[in-house]
């Protein structure tokens, strides 16, 4: 019953099971009203369609989201709390319609799980990272009821042919759209507005062939963050993210507009960002890359063109090896190949913040036909090789290299 009070978890499960048994699959249509539910688990050949007059509201009782399922938390695998909308090992799954998906998170529900235990004991997130580094089998990394690892909002896991289109997502516990080890993913026309902790908008992780187009991001963390596993788990899984197109998107608040990292151990290659607009004093960086000597991932072949940046709070482009663990690790981060064409920036703190390592320089950065109307401070460029400028103007003057004078700063950990 769409009254916002009656729990519809079982009704969703029965409808999805029936649709999956239909020849060629089926469509579960949510028509009108407010539907309160626990987790929704999709099956192959099923489309969940939420019409314009409908809201699916996810219940705040954590007990509803167990038994544990295979999931990832910040790049590490575990058996833990179910995402709100989840699919495992499926083909041809879709979430469509112009309705609203409401996670009901706030400072007293889900977001408060970021607090440290009052007794000073090990936080569940820290325990998961430790278990992953100790190479404990995933089946034994069980985080049941009582754990404070928050659920993702939408997580297709090891799926093929995924479509998420036109829905609006609000009040998420943490990451909103998190495809993991998926192929052929399309995210189109989605509106995301959620400002809680770790509220990344869209985080394709260890995926291949991803299209993100005509979406609006207004988030409490990175708008888009492309990932590929963390440290020991990333090396065990060896699954890069590759062949990603971000096109026609609008970015408001967030830490980074399009970000690669920091859970990037498996590597990222072949990313194309085009025809996007970014504009907010609460957007820290337009294009951002986060890596370090604990991740050691390879980032290569990144292309950005025709991006308009009204304003960002910090650097327009950031590549930072000092993020997180920084130089504390045995693995060499690699960055090679970023081309930025026809980027226009109205206002930023600085154009570039590039911080490599002496033994692992950032390589091959090209700025072509770019205009920066107002950059307030000099650039940070440390351990960079092959930085080239072609027809670039900064503060009304033609430039052929970075503006000198800034000192290397500690890594920015906000996002």
């Amino acid at each position: 019953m769409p009254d916002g009070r009656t729990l519809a978890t079982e009704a969703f499960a029965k409808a999805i099971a029936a649709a999956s048994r239909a020849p060629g699959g089926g469509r579960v249509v949510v028509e009108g009203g407010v539907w309160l539910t626990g987790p929704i688990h999709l099956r192959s050949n099923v489309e969940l369609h939420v019409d314009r007059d409908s809201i699916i509201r996810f219940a705040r009782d954590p007990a509803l989201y167990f038994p544990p399922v295979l999931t990832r938390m910040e790049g590490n695998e575990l058996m833990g709390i179910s995402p709100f909308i989840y699919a495992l090992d499926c083909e041809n799954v879709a979430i469509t319609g112009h309705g609203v998906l409401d996670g009901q998170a706030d400072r007293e529900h889900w977001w408060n799980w970021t607090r440290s235990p009052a007794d000073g004991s090990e936080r569940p997130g820290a325990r998961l990272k430790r278990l992953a580094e100790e190479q404990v089998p995933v089946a034994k990394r069980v985080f049941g009821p009582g754990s404070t690892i928050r659920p993702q909002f939408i997580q297709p896991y090891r799926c093929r042919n995924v479509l998420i289109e036109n829905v609006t997502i609000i009040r998420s516990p943490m990451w909103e759209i998190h495809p993991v080890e998926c192929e052929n993913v399309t995210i189109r026309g989605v509106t995301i507005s959620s400002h809680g902790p770790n509220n990344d908008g869209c985080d394709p992780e260890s995926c291949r062939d991803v299209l993100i187009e005509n979406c609006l991001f207004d988030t409490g963390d990175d708008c888009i963050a492309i990932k590929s596993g963390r440290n020991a788990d990333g090396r065990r899984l060896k699954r890069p993210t590759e062949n990603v197109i971000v096109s026609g998107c609008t970015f408001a608040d967030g830490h980074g507009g399009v970000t690669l990292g920091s859970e990037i151990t498996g590597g990222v290659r072949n990313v194309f960002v085009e025809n996007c607009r970014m504009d907010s004093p609460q957007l820290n960086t337009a294009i951002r890359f986060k890596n370090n000597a604990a991740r050691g991932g390879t980032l290569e072949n990144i292309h950005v063109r025709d991006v308009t940046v009204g304003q960002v709070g910090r650097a327009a482009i950031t590549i930072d090896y000092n993020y997180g663990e920084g130089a504390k690790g045995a693995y060499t981060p690699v960055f090679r190949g970023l081309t930025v064409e026809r980027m226009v920036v109205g206002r930023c703190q600085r154009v570039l913040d590039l911080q490599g390592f002496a033994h692992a320089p950032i390589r091959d950065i090209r700025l072509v036909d770019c205009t920066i109307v107002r950059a307030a401070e000099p650039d940070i460029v440390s351990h960079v090789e092959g930085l080239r400028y072609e027809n670039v103007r900064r503060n009304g003057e033609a430039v052929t290299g970075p503006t000198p004078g800034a000192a290397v700063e500690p890594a920015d950990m906000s996002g």
Side-chain angles (χ1 to χ4, degrees), residues 175-178 192 199-203 217 219 221-224:
W175 296 355
E176 279 113 286
I177 300 177
H178 183 208
I192 293 177
N199 269 209
D200 293 15
C202 181
D203 290 15
F217 297 94
T219 67
D221 208 304
D222 291 322
C223 297
I224 294 174

Side-chain angles (χ1 to χ4, degrees), residues 73-74 76 78 113 117 122-132 143 147-150 230:
M73 168 64 175
E74 295 185 341
N76 292 316
L78 72 151
W113 287 15
E122 185 178 37
R123 295 179 63 175
R127 175 172 170 257
L128 173 60
K129 293 172 186 175
R130 176 175 58 79
L131 295 178
F143 292 75
S147 170
T148 54
I149 289 180
R150 288 165 288 158
R230 182 187 184 105

Side-chain angles (χ1 to χ4, degrees), residues 1-226:
M1 181 180 297
D3 58 6
R5 297 184 301 273
T6 305
L7 202 61
T9 312
E10 185 176 352
F12 275 111
K14 288 181 178 179
I16 289 167
S20 71
R21 291 192 296 267
R27 194 182 202 211
V28 175
V29 179
V30 180
E31 289 185 320
V34 179
W35 298 81
L36 181 69
T37 184
I40 296 174
H41 288 192
L42 297 177
R43 300 189 185 189
S44 292
N45 306 311
V46 172
E47 174 187 356
L48 175 65
H49 182 83
V50 188
D51 78 6
R52 190 180 301 275
D53 298 319
S54 300
I55 299 173
I56 299 179
R57 186 166 287 161
F58 289 87
R60 288 167 163 171
D61 181 1
L64 296 173
Y65 300 90
F66 290 95
V69 301
L70 174 65
T71 182
R72 275 199 203 182
M73 168 64 175
E74 295 185 341
N76 292 316
E77 291 190 312
L78 72 151
M79 302 300 297
I81 191 167
S82 173
F84 288 169
I85 302 178
Y86 180 71
L88 176 65
D89 294 323
C90 292
E91 291 191 350
N92 310 324
V93 294
I95 303 164
T96 67
H98 289 87
V100 174
L101 307 176
D102 180 2
Q104 294 205 93
D106 60 24
R107 293 180 180 178
E108 302 303 322
H109 305 90
W110 304 117
W111 293 347
N112 60 332
W113 287 15
T114 61
R115 299 169 187 165
S116 297
D119 60 4
S121 60
E122 185 178 37
R123 295 179 63 175
R127 175 172 170 257
L128 173 60
K129 293 172 186 175
R130 176 175 58 79
L131 295 178
E133 292 305 303
E134 293 171 357
Q135 301 184 43
V136 172
V138 175
K140 295 184 178 181
R141 303 178 197 172
V142 180
F143 292 75
S147 170
T148 54
I149 289 180
R150 288 165 288 158
Q152 327 285 322
F153 206 121
I154 299 174
Q155 187 183 72
Y157 208 112
R158 295 196 310 233
C159 293
R160 186 170 181 273
N161 304 334
V162 176
L163 172 65
I164 303 171
E165 187 172 43
N166 292 332
V167 292
T168 294
I169 300 172
I170 61 174
R171 300 198 290 177
S172 177
M174 57 166 304
W175 296 355
E176 279 113 286
I177 300 177
H178 183 208
V180 181
E181 294 188 36
C182 292
E183 295 188 10
N184 192 20
V185 177
T186 299
I187 300 163
R188 177 186 295 125
V190 173
T191 297
I192 293 177
S193 181
S194 189
H195 278 243
N198 311 109
N199 269 209
D200 293 15
C202 181
D203 290 15
E205 183 166 10
S206 302
C207 291
R208 174 181 295 170
D209 301 337
V210 178
L211 172 63
I212 306 169
E213 67 175 354
N214 302 331
C215 295
L216 170 62
F217 297 94
D218 182 13
T219 67
D221 208 304
D222 291 322
C223 297
I224 294 174
I226 301 169

